[in-house]
């Protein structure tokens, strides 16, 4: 969640830099020779596409929700969504074709619509804040914080208001950037690397050679999906109590286990490690060693001096406070640096675009310099501008949704006043544009950074006496949803541009997917919330670590630094400055050397959570590294499918495990690991002589 670059870098590495330049082989000529013209936009939004989108949305929402509630690291699932949608609809059409009742063949445009809908729907599990700002409002999280835990700053999750809130705030981002689609995609020719990579993938599926490879990739995904699901099922039998099962295996000894260093046999995070770049995984490991191997033992030795020895292990006035607030300092430092950097690039890019008068859009029919445009770009631009979305629809939609939100949200969160929301909606289109433009240049969505800015500004504006902590968290949700959906929609427009999918079908697909996500994500979260009694508690299966982080950010914004333990503020300043400095050094030395310098944002994640999942991810990196050494072409072709299978299989196991927990069915065995001395005591207690 916090490392958006981890979410994007896999696609970024796959992209060739965009569709703006001439290609050696014309993709569109190949499709013209082998297929009919692209179907009308109404025929791209088929009934089967919506059915498949709904099924895959549920699948991917479970996966994203599990990742969100455990570590918050969410890799790009675009490839998995594109691959599975191709498999499902291809199977569907094959059966109908054999029966002689196939009315419409499966096209790459329909494939794009499904992929867009699925990613939009499952994306609500992230932007909806179920592992961050939304759950941070709850009493469960408030009890883990010594400050601002009054009823005025607490709102427990409930299915009704969560669905209502998401429907109210999730659509404004779609309307805010629609009028700018031609400027962004055609005139400015922004690359949107993730959208470009997804388009290349979908285009390749629908060529004869690509279809054969896609079938093999689906087969590989299915095998590892089955293995991961069955492995999760097998592990369940050994988890009848706290600290039981393979997930608590002290791989490197009990002392290392106490300091969160162990391999927990999670197929999910091995798969995530295979998708995330090596640098992300190494950065996580470095952060684990720095925090749990060096800093926390040293600060823990000051118990009784820097903080009271009588405090509980979860008190933010003790060691837990150092873990949380130092991680926050690094996250904010990294986020602020990248915000300024991307904003600077956006301003420079806009200046260059407007300085070059040839690139300025006059209207949708303005002529272009066709001498330098490839056949593919000419064909794509022609169809992209054909099905226009009138600007008045976007403006009207934004105004209507803003009015509905201004009226509705204060009833859900009385601490967030109507004028707070109005102010955000006046500023939001500018921020949505900056995020969408910056994402087109760098592939980084800074949605969570804009959300943090809303936490600090609106929370401080509301004030502690008026429930400023809850107001800040709610404001984070409003802002984060707008800027996140805006950049996602523009990425999808880029994908549609390169696959000849109509902008109208892409917009409607995104809107339908968002509507699905506004229902599916709260329902999936509610299932987790009700199934596990210790949900949200530190050290449990689903600790939702960023919920406490976001809540404490809001407390800092409202009450200042009074909540920090002794010397914590000074250490936070050091790590904030270090995050800015390391990012500056990375940019200064260039790509050749920056790949050897850890990312501060990634380093910060294990500061609070622990290092166990970083071991899993490094194992995934090691598997991919060895595989590439042995057979690089095969590894490049199948690694994403294998990783997706590992992620999705164990992710889907959470559905039956949640149902079993709700039904009161408990695992029969507890597998625990004890030291020799403790084992003797247990034996003596059980078998007194």
């Amino acid at each position: 969640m916090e490392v958006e670059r981890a979410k994007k870098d896999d696609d970024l590495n796959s992209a060739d830099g965009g569709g703006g330049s001439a290609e050696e082989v014309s993709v569109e000529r190949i499709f013209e020779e082998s297929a009919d013209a692209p179907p009308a936009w109404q025929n791209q939004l088929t009934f089967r596409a919506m059915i498949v989108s709904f099924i895959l949305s549920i699948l991917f929402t479970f996966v994203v929700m599990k990742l969100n509630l455990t570590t918050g690291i969410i890799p790009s699932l675009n490839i998995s969504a594109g691959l599975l949608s191709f498999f499902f609809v291809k199977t569907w059409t094959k059966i109908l074709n054999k029966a002689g009742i196939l009315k419409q063949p499966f096209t790459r445009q329909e494939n794009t619509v499904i992929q867009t809908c699925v990613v939009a729907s499952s994306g609500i599990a992230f932007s909806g804040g179920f592992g961050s700002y939304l759950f941070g409002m709850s009493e469960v999280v408030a009890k883990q914080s010594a400050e601002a835990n009054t009823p005025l700053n607490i709102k427990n999750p409930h299915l009704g208001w969560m669905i209502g809130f998401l429907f109210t705030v999730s659509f404004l981002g779609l309307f805010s950037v629609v009028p700018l689609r031609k400027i962004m995609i055609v005139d400015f020719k922004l690359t949107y690397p993730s959208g470009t990579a997804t388009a290349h993938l979908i285009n390749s599926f629908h060529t004869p050679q690509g279809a054969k490879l896609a079938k093999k990739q689906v087969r590989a995904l299915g095998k590892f999906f089955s293995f991961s699901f069955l492995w999760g099922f097998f592990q369940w039998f050994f988890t009848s109590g706290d600290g039981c099962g393979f997930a608590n295996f002290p791989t490197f000894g009990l002392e290392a286990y106490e300091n969160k260093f162990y391999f927990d046999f999670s197929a999910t995070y091995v798969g995530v490690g295979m998708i995330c770049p090596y640098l992300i995984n190494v950065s996580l490991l470095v952060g684990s060693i720095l925090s749990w191997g060096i800093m926390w033992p040293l600060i823990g030795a000051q118990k009784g001096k820097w903080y009271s020895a009588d405090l509980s292990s979860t008190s933010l006035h003790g060691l837990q406070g150092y873990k949380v607030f130092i991680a926050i300092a690094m996250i904010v430092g990294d986020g602020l640096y990248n915000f300024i950097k991307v904003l600077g690039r956006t301003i420079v890019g806009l200046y260059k675009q407007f300085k070059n008068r040839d690139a300025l859009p006059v209207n949708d029919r303005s002529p272009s310099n066709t001498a330098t445009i490839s056949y593919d770009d000419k064909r794509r631009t022609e169809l992209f501008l054909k099905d226009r979305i009138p600007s008045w629809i976007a403006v009207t939609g934004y105004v209507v949704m803003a009015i509905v939100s201004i009226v509705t949200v204060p009833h859900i969160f009385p601490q967030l006043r109507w004028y707070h929301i109005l102010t955000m909606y006046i500023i939001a289109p500018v921020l949505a544009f900056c995020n969408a433009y910056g994402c087109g240049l760098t592939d980084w969505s800074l949605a969570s950074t804009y959300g943090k800015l809303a936490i600090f500004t609106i929370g401080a504006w509301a004030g502690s006496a008026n429930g400023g902590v809850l107001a800040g968290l709610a404001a984070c949700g409003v802002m984060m949803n707008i800027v996140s959906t805006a950049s996602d929609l523009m990425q999808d427009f880029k994908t549609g541009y390169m696959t000849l999918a109509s902008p109208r079908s892409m917009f409607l697909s995104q809107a339908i997917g968002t509507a699905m996500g506004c229902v599916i994500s709260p329902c999936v979260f509610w299932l987790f919330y009700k199934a596990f009694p210790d949900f949200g508690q530190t050290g449990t299966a689903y600790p939702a670590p960023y919920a406490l982080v976001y809540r404490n950010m809001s407390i800092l914004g409202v009450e200042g630094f009074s909540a920090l333990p002794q010397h914590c503020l000074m250490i936070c300043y050091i790590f904030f400055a270090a995050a800015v400095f390391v990012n500056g050094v990375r940019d200064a030395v260039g790509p050749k050397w920056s790949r050897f310098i850890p990312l501060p944002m990634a380093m910060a994640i294990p500061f609070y959570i622990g290092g166990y999942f970083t071991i899993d991810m490094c194992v995934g990196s090691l598997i991919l590294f060895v595989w590439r050494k042995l057979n690089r072409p095969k590894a490049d072709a199948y690694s994403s499918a294998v990783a997706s299978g590992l992620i999705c299989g164990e992710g889907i196991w959470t559905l039956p495990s949640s149902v079993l927990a709700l039904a009161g069915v408990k695992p029969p065995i507890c597998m625990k690991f004890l030291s020799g001395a403790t084992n003797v005591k247990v034996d003596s207690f059980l078998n007194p002589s």
Side-chain angles (χ1 to χ4, degrees):
M1 184 182 71
E2 289 300 320
V3 188
E4 283 91 357
R5 72 199 72 174
K7 196 176 173 185
K8 300 289 186 183
D9 276 353
D10 179 60
D11 288 337
L12 179 58
N13 293 339
S14 302
D16 67 352
S21 60
E23 298 170 52
E24 292 182 8
V25 178
S26 173
V27 173
E28 299 310 328
R29 288 193 189 278
I30 293 174
F31 279 104
E32 276 190 353
E33 293 170 0
S34 59
D36 296 329
W41 69 269
Q42 298 94 332
N43 295 330
Q44 296 172 21
L45 290 161
T46 61
F47 174 74
R48 68 189 178 202
M50 295 301 102
I51 294 294
V52 170
S53 296
F54 181 73
I55 295 169
L56 291 180
S57 292
I58 295 173
L59 166 67
F60 282 105
T61 298
F62 268 97
V63 172
V64 173
M65 193 67 72
K66 179 186 176 179
L67 296 172
N68 215 357
L69 296 173
T70 49
T71 66
I73 299 176
I74 305 170
S76 173
L77 298 174
N78 288 20
I79 291 176
S80 308
L83 190 61
L84 285 174
S85 61
F86 175 82
F87 167 71
F88 274 108
V89 182
K90 202 71 176 175
T91 304
W92 183 324
T93 54
K94 192 174 182 179
I95 293 171
L96 293 181
N97 191 38
K98 285 185 177 179
I101 55 175
L102 179 63
K103 295 182 179 179
Q104 182 177 335
F106 181 40
T107 63
R108 55 182 172 143
Q109 290 80 24
E110 189 178 357
N111 203 158
T112 305
V113 162
I114 298 171
Q115 186 269 338
T116 298
C117 189
V118 172
V119 173
S121 178
S122 59
I124 299 292
F126 162 66
S127 62
F130 300 100
S132 54
Y133 65 83
L134 189 143
F135 187 52
M137 303 174 183
S138 68
E139 187 177 5
V140 173
V141 178
K143 285 181 178 178
Q144 299 176 51
S145 175
E147 308 288 335
N149 51 10
T150 59
L152 191 62
N153 284 308
I154 292 174
K155 189 172 183 67
N156 285 315
H158 189 275
L159 207 54
W161 74 255
M162 288 191 297
I163 293 174
F165 174 69
L166 290 175
F167 265 108
T168 304
V169 302
S170 295
F171 291 91
L172 282 103
L174 302 181
F175 293 110
S176 64
V177 293
V178 164
L180 303 174
R181 63 182 183 85
K182 176 182 179 292
I183 297 173
M184 298 282 211
I185 305 298
V186 178
D187 296 304
F188 288 176
K189 291 183 170 54
L190 297 178
T191 54
Y192 289 100
S194 288
T196 299
T198 305
H200 285 312
L201 183 78
I202 291 172
N203 282 336
S204 70
F205 286 165
H206 292 267
T207 59
Q209 187 177 0
K212 290 179 182 178
L213 177 60
K215 288 179 182 177
K216 294 178 181 179
Q217 289 173 329
V218 168
R219 207 170 292 130
L221 189 151
K223 287 179 183 177
F224 284 90
F225 177 95
S226 302
F227 164 77
S228 180
F229 183 88
L230 293 173
W231 174 240
F233 177 50
F234 175 74
Q235 288 188 84
W236 176 81
F237 284 97
F238 302 92
T239 57
S240 67
D242 292 336
C244 299
F246 287 92
N248 296 280
F249 191 95
T251 322
F252 308 114
L254 288 169
E255 188 171 350
Y257 173 80
E258 291 297 323
N259 285 289
K260 305 284 187 180
F261 274 101
Y262 56 94
F263 178 64
D264 71 349
F265 293 90
S266 170
T268 296
Y269 283 102
V270 172
V272 172
M274 292 179 70
I275 288 179
C276 288
Y278 297 136
L279 181 60
I280 293 287
N281 298 332
V282 172
S283 299
L284 289 166
L285 184 61
V286 170
S288 302
I289 295 169
L290 177 62
S291 55
W292 291 87
I294 300 173
M295 288 177 59
W296 305 156
L298 290 175
I299 295 176
Q302 303 302 315
K303 188 175 184 179
K305 298 177 183 177
W306 287 13
Y307 57 93
S308 173
D310 300 325
L311 294 171
S312 69
S313 60
T314 59
S315 172
L316 289 175
H317 289 290
L319 182 59
Q320 185 80 341
Y322 294 93
K323 296 175 183 177
V324 172
F325 290 114
I326 293 172
I328 289 173
M330 291 188 71
I331 290 169
V332 173
D334 185 283
L336 183 62
Y337 177 90
N338 284 301
F339 170 73
I340 294 171
K341 183 178 77 172
V342 173
L343 184 62
R345 288 186 180 180
T346 300
I347 293 170
V348 171
L350 284 172
Y351 172 75
K352 289 180 178 178
Q353 292 287 353
F354 283 100
K355 189 178 179 182
N356 180 6
R357 292 295 172 180
D358 290 337
L360 273 175
V362 178
N363 54 56
D364 276 356
R365 296 175 182 82
S366 56
S368 300
N369 185 5
T370 55
T372 59
I373 295 181
S374 67
Y375 175 80
D376 283 1
D377 278 341
K378 187 177 179 181
R379 174 78 170 143
R380 290 165 179 171
T381 302
E382 177 189 341
L383 289 176
F384 189 72
L385 299 179
K386 180 183 175 183
D387 293 327
R388 297 195 303 158
I389 302 171
S391 296
W392 68 266
I393 291 179
V395 174
T396 304
Y398 188 87
V399 171
V400 170
M401 290 304 301
I403 293 171
V404 170
S405 184
I406 290 169
V407 173
T408 307
V409 172
H411 285 86
I412 301 173
F413 305 108
Q415 298 86 343
L416 193 64
R417 308 295 185 187
W418 67 268
Y419 48 83
H420 296 149
I421 304 169
L422 176 62
T423 303
M424 285 191 287
Y425 286 161
I426 292 172
I427 300 170
V430 177
L431 299 182
F433 167 76
C434 290
N435 194 47
Y437 189 92
C439 192
L441 291 174
T442 65
D443 212 37
W444 290 353
S445 172
L446 299 178
S448 62
T449 303
Y450 289 105
K452 295 184 191 84
L453 291 175
I455 287 178
F456 290 118
T457 54
I458 302 298
W461 185 4
S464 58
N466 300 311
V469 172
L470 197 65
L473 291 170
C476 174
V478 173
M479 186 60 72
M480 198 166 156
N481 275 282
I482 293 172
V483 296
S484 177
T485 51
S487 62
D488 288 347
L489 177 63
M490 207 54 71
Q491 289 271 18
D492 292 333
F493 275 147
K494 182 67 175 184
T495 304
Y497 170 80
M498 297 187 65
T499 58
L500 302 190
S502 167
R504 291 184 184 179
S505 65
M506 298 300 292
F507 178 80
L508 289 173
S509 175
Q510 181 91 11
I512 292 168
T514 301
M516 286 181 184
C518 289
V519 177
I520 294 171
S521 289
C523 290
V524 171
F525 173 79
W526 193 247
L527 183 62
F528 279 89
Y529 184 67
K530 288 296 184 181
F532 303 99
D534 56 0
F535 182 84
Q537 298 286 346
T538 303
T540 60
Y542 300 104
Y546 277 104
L548 184 60
V549 169
Y550 271 68
R551 184 174 185 87
N552 282 288
M553 283 184 187
S554 193
I555 291 172
L556 281 178
V558 173
E559 300 189 1
F561 299 114
S562 60
L564 300 179
Q566 189 179 3
H567 300 300
C568 186
L569 181 59
M570 180 189 68
I571 300 173
C572 286
Y573 282 145
I574 292 171
F575 276 86
F576 178 92
V580 174
F581 176 75
V582 171
N583 272 305
V585 170
R586 283 177 47 80
D587 287 335
V589 299
K592 182 178 179 182
W593 298 106
S594 64
R595 59 197 178 103
F596 299 110
I597 302 174
L599 294 163
M601 182 74 84
M603 289 176 63
I605 293 174
F607 270 52
Y608 168 57
I609 301 171
Y612 59 94
F613 72 96
T614 67
I615 306 296
D616 302 337
M617 292 179 68
C618 286
V619 168
S621 276
L622 181 62
I623 291 170
L624 181 61
F625 179 79
V626 172
W627 192 1
R628 281 178 169 169
K629 287 293 181 184
L630 296 175
N631 191 336
R632 189 177 185 90
K634 194 170 184 179
D636 290 341
Y638 294 101
S639 59
S640 292
V642 169
S644 299
L646 292 173
I647 294 169
C648 295
E650 197 172 62
I652 285 300
W653 165 248
T654 58
L655 173 58
S657 69
S658 300
V659 173
L660 290 171
L662 285 171
V665 179
K666 293 186 177 181
I669 305 168
C670 174
M671 183 175 70
K672 256 188 177 176
F673 300 90
L674 307 172
S675 66
T678 305
N679 187 58
V680 169
K681 292 179 183 178
V682 171
D683 283 344
S684 301
F685 177 78
L686 294 175
N687 303 298
S689 54

